[in-house]
């Protein structure tokens, strides 16, 4: 098994975001990097009562992730 080397820097704890699933406030916005991919950066938003809702590669990649639905089982 590998060892995670991710680091996150908090940019905001009051971010607002809209994704296909809905709009959210008071979200945690972070910029994440990893020593395993030098130069790669990702912005992530995690919101109260929902969790991860949005992720964007801002360098070193092209991923754009949005929460579109929640399935309860």
């Amino acid at each position: 098994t590998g060892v995670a080397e991710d680091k996150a820097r908090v940019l905001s704890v009051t971010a607002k975001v809209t994704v296909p699933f809905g709009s959210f406030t008071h979200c945690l916005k972070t910029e994440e990097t990893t020593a395993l991919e030098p130069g790669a950066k990702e912005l992530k938003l995690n919101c109260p009562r929902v969790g991860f809702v949005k992720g964007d590669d801002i360098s070193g990649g092209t991923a754009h992730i949005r929460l579109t639905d929640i399935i309860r089982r």
Side-chain angles (χ1 to χ4, degrees):
T1 58
V3 175
E5 296 188 27
D6 297 357
K7 292 183 180 180
R9 180 170 60 107
V10 174
L11 303 177
S12 176
V13 294
T14 58
K16 297 177 183 177
V17 61
T18 297
V19 295
F21 185 73
S23 295
F24 304 93
T25 59
H26 307 290
C27 300
L28 172 66
K29 182 177 183 179
T30 59
E31 177 185 85
E32 297 191 9
T33 60
T34 176
L36 299 175
E37 295 179 55
K41 289 184 182 179
E42 182 180 10
L43 288 180
K44 288 186 177 179
L45 283 117
N46 290 275
C47 301
R49 297 179 303 279
V50 179
F52 177 72
V53 298
K54 183 177 177 182
D56 287 307
D57 286 341
I58 55 174
S59 63
T62 58
H64 300 284
I65 301 166
R66 306 289 185 269
L67 179 65
T68 59
D69 199 4
I70 293 177
I71 300 172
R72 293 189 170 103
R73 296 182 183 184

